[in-house]
Amino acid sequence: MRFLKVLFVLVLCGGLLFGGFLVYAHHAPIETAAPPAADTFDAATIARGAELAAMGNCNSCHTVEGGPALAGGRALETPFGTIHGSNITPDADTGIGRWSKAAFSRAMREGVDRDGNHLYPAFPYDHFTKLSDEDVDALYAYVMTRTPVRAPTPENDLVFPLGFRPLLAGWKLLFFRPGRFAPDNVARDETNHGAYLVEALAHCGACHTPRNTLGAEERSAHFAGGTSDGWIAPALDHKNPAPVPWTQESLARYLRSGFDRHHGAASGPMIEVARNLSRVPEQDVAAMARYVASVMGEPAPERAEKGRALVATLESGRTPVQTTGSSAPGGSAVPDPIYAGACGGCHDAERGAIDALPLSLATAARLESPQNLLHAVLEGVHPRNPKAAALMPSFDGALTDEQIARLADYVRTEIAGEPAWRDVAGTLAKIRKGAASGSGESTK
Amino acid sequence: MITLTVNGRSHEVDADPATPLLYVLRDDLGLHAAKYGCGFGQCGACTVMVDGRAVFSCVTPIAALPGRQIKTVEGLGTIEDPGPMQRGFIEAQAAQCGYCIPGMMMRAQALLEQNPAASEQDIRDHLALNLCRCGTHMRILDAVKRAAALMRSARGPDAGTTVATDGAAR
């Protein structure tokens, strides 16, 4: 009897708590609106919306490679399962055609869709909440004037119980801080403009900041480096591993053109970012570069000096193997024949003949894991269109996995002069497994 | 000395192990089908097969190749008895200057060996890495489709059905 009473009270309390949580998690739907007529928006607002959408990399998740723009369907692999970018064209049934500006704004700022469902934080509303009203309006004008595409968004495939969206209210309570961008009053206007674009819109931190076990960006490790689609997104703070320290100028060049001669070509998920930034005003990218450079900070004098020395040696025409071979542990004067035959023809070529990056300058060789270097060797580097001629050809098939692993080890220890990576073969096998199971856009 | 297996035959090659396969094929072994185009793995004129995969021989050092099966156009057939890929290209008269054709053949051969029921889109995607400056792409497409049909008919009607099922399952 007593046991039943206790049980009854417990169930009641549990039910009340759960009910309370559901009430807390509940958001009312916003009335549907007739799709706005094209002349609702003025051309200048739409044009700025297009630039903002490019800087915000909307297409990275909402457009399938080669598919109709913003029609959704792109699969994003997360530690919690697969999420699909939704259709954000103004199609009335499968897109956001019936979303009023208020509904769009709530999604951007609070991560709640028109029906009142919580959105997964793969959609970076933790960044977009910082956007100005003016910019949200311009983005709305842009998306609502795109060609509507009828394309139902595929179902997500998430680990239990994450398919139950009200749980996201709990996630938000823990990690989501809504609110507009707050400028730094000490910083210059251009730095603040850059900070706004980077933090509120471009959401660089979504990849370049590590995430905790529940998938939230770690505030205390802002820009300390993260991952994206099986690639390492290098640290953008003082720990950035580029052998030649980045400057505002080199960052701006890289972001806008996808290439800088002391840092190489954008690869992996960064290719699309650079492609998007090639379409936006130069001053916006310059401001972003200024802000990122300010987060990286001035390099330590020793690091700056090393970078200058590397560049000076390269410009004087000596090959990078000779440059670092002597200082590298176990450095040898004779280059590995596979390196010399497969890589050296471009990477050790006289600069200007072919602008391949000398690998002594490559960030990929300095990261804590070989995955970026292995991705480049396996897939090549395709700057714009994966079907077009590559900047770097794929060596998959030409070299065996064992040879690729040895090559990565050679580049790491002999050319970069860094301690050997652990388990290169294992990382390679993991990349292959990911490619075989269809995760990752990068397999071709 | 490095031992290379080309078109099923073993060759002892006395060359720097960093030498690209293309130079050894042309200069040491007298196999002139694979062509030097760009030397950077950008144009595909040098494409040959290694262990069934299409590779750029201009950026593949022979150090990577002992114990592996290398195949060039010379291994697809002879002038008297051309193989299905070669017959497809002859029937479609796919060459203008012809410089890119051996590379096209080898990349197409690798595709059809892996996927005998390759669709036109598969062929387009796969051959996109090889450039033809004369603009004979439509004929090259036609040639590869003919080659695929010839390979299927060579396997006989029963084999053809299996192939179609395989293709559907991909």
Side-chain angles (χ1 to χ4, degrees):
Chain A
M1 221 30 215
R2 189 183 161 78
F3 169 74
L4 277 182
K5 250 189 205 162
V6 171
L7 187 69
F8 176 74
V9 170
L10 278 177
V11 168
L12 188 70
C13 287
L16 279 174
L17 273 173
F18 185 67
F21 174 74
L22 286 184
V23 170
Y24 171 76
H26 176 76
H27 287 266
I30 291 178
E31 285 293 306
T32 57
D39 61 2
T40 317
F41 310 103
D42 67 272
T45 309
I46 297 170
R48 184 56 182 164
E51 291 168 3
L52 294 167
M55 283 186 269
N57 295 300
C58 307
N59 56 356
S60 287
C61 292
H62 291 286
T63 303
V64 174
E65 187 85 47
L70 305 181
R74 185 128 151 199
L76 182 73
E77 304 297 336
T78 76
F80 313 101
T82 308
I83 292 186
H84 293 96
S86 56
N87 180 348
I88 55 166
T89 69
D91 181 61
D93 300 322
T94 63
I96 60 169
R98 292 185 209 277
W99 288 35
S100 63
K101 199 195 283 183
F104 181 79
S105 178
R106 182 172 75 170
M108 294 290 283
R109 297 196 187 292
E110 297 171 41
V112 175
D113 74 5
R114 194 198 59 76
D115 290 329
N117 298 312
H118 287 286
L119 294 168
Y120 292 102
F123 174 53
Y125 49 82
D126 49 340
H127 292 271
F128 297 156
T129 185
K130 300 186 175 87
L131 284 169
S132 70
D133 290 341
E134 194 189 350
D135 285 353
V136 171
D137 289 356
L139 283 163
Y140 182 69
Y142 173 71
V143 294
M144 296 312 267
T145 50
R146 295 310 89 201
T147 310
V149 178
R150 195 178 165 79
T153 302
E155 290 290 317
N156 295 327
D157 181 17
L158 296 168
V159 296
F160 179 82
L162 299 180
F164 185 61
R165 287 181 183 259
L167 288 176
L168 289 164
W171 187 93
K172 287 178 177 175
L173 189 64
L174 290 171
F175 304 117
F176 178 49
R177 302 283 171 277
R180 303 289 194 277
F181 175 76
D184 176 353
N185 291 327
V186 189
R188 290 170 48 156
D189 285 351
E190 194 194 7
T191 313
N192 266 326
H193 179 54
Y196 168 75
L197 293 175
V198 164
E199 301 296 351
L201 184 61
H203 61 284
C204 307
C207 297
H208 289 277
T209 296
R211 291 179 182 269
N212 64 21
T213 46
L214 290 173
E217 286 178 36
E218 289 182 36
R219 268 166 233 283
S220 58
H222 179 243
F223 279 2
T227 58
S228 174
D229 210 4
W231 290 68
I232 291 179
L236 300 180
D237 59 7
H238 67 281
K239 291 203 296 287
N240 178 271
V244 178
W246 287 98
T247 60
Q248 183 192 340
E249 291 73 27
S250 55
L251 276 168
R253 206 176 302 123
Y254 174 85
L255 288 173
R256 202 130 191 292
S257 71
F259 183 80
D260 173 68
R261 71 190 307 262
H262 291 150
H263 300 88
S267 315
M270 196 62 197
I271 292 172
E272 198 157 30
V273 175
R275 195 191 309 171
N276 283 333
L277 293 179
S278 70
R279 302 193 200 113
V280 309
E282 208 163 345
Q283 64 267 26
D284 285 334
V285 179
M288 293 165 85
R290 170 182 276 277
Y291 168 67
V292 173
S294 80
V295 177
M296 286 180 176
E298 280 294 314
E302 192 195 340
R303 181 170 169 236
E305 186 45 49
K306 261 192 189 161
R308 272 195 294 276
L310 261 177
V311 171
T313 319
L314 288 167
E315 310 272 312
S316 76
R318 276 186 285 156
T319 70
V321 176
Q322 285 161 338
T323 310
T324 54
S326 52
S327 62
S332 57
V334 183
D336 176 86
I338 291 186
Y339 171 82
C343 319
C346 293
H347 288 287
D348 292 346
E350 200 180 320
R351 302 303 312 264
I354 183 164
D355 242 342
L357 186 76
L359 294 179
S360 57
L361 302 188
T363 294
R366 314 275 175 155
L367 296 168
E368 64 273 22
S369 142
Q371 59 202 89
N372 288 15
L373 194 146
L374 293 173
H375 271 296
V377 172
L378 287 176
E379 294 139 29
V381 178
H382 305 266
R384 281 170 193 276
N385 176 352
K387 291 177 190 168
L391 269 184
M392 169 172 156
S394 155
F395 285 87
D396 192 8
L399 305 178
T400 63
D401 281 6
E402 195 194 328
Q403 290 164 348
I404 291 172
R406 256 201 345 255
L407 183 63
D409 197 47
Y410 174 81
V411 171
R412 170 72 171 181
T413 55
E414 298 297 317
I415 296 180
E418 300 275 347
W421 278 310
R422 264 177 299 164
D423 199 21
V424 178
T427 310
L428 181 54
K430 229 158 105 187
I431 291 175
R432 287 219 179 272
K433 216 172 133 207
S437 72
S439 77
E441 298 290 329
S442 41
T443 57
K444 200 71 220 170
Chain B
M1 286 296 222
I2 286 182
T3 308
L4 298 181
T5 311
V6 184
N7 301 325
R9 276 187 56 194
S10 208
H11 301 268
E12 295 284 316
V13 176
D14 184 16
D16 184 324
T19 310
L21 170 63
L22 177 65
Y23 304 171
V24 171
L25 289 175
R26 295 184 60 86
D27 301 342
D28 297 300
L29 305 183
L31 297 171
H32 296 142
K35 300 288 185 285
Y36 181 91
C38 65
F40 295 127
Q42 304 279 306
C43 75
C46 69
T47 306
V48 301
M49 282 165 68
V50 174
D51 290 344
R53 307 270 305 264
V55 309
F56 299 118
S57 65
C58 74
V59 291
T60 304
I62 55 170
L65 298 170
R68 303 176 71 194
Q69 296 293 330
I70 300 159
K71 199 179 205 177
T72 68
V73 169
E74 288 91 343
L76 296 182
T78 60
I79 291 181
E80 296 73 31
D81 183 20
M85 183 59 68
Q86 292 161 314
R87 279 170 54 199
F89 273 75
I90 294 167
E91 283 177 17
Q93 286 292 292
Q96 173 78 333
C97 87
Y99 203 78
C100 72
I101 297 298
M104 293 282 183
M105 283 186 182
M106 295 318 290
R107 192 170 294 279
Q109 181 76 21
L111 171 66
L112 295 185
E113 284 186 14
Q114 209 181 19
N115 177 11
S119 68
E120 170 162 337
Q121 194 57 48
D122 292 335
I123 300 171
R124 283 171 177 263
D125 289 350
H126 199 76
L127 292 187
L129 290 169
N130 288 41
L131 306 183
C132 164
R133 299 211 180 273
C134 302
T136 62
H137 304 84
M138 297 315 291
R139 291 194 184 189
I140 291 171
L141 258 177
D142 183 23
V144 177
K145 284 191 266 184
R146 283 167 188 266
L150 287 168
M151 289 179 194
R152 274 196 297 271
S153 63
R155 280 192 203 89
D158 291 344
T161 347
T162 328
V163 165
T165 325
D166 275 3
R170 288 185 83 86

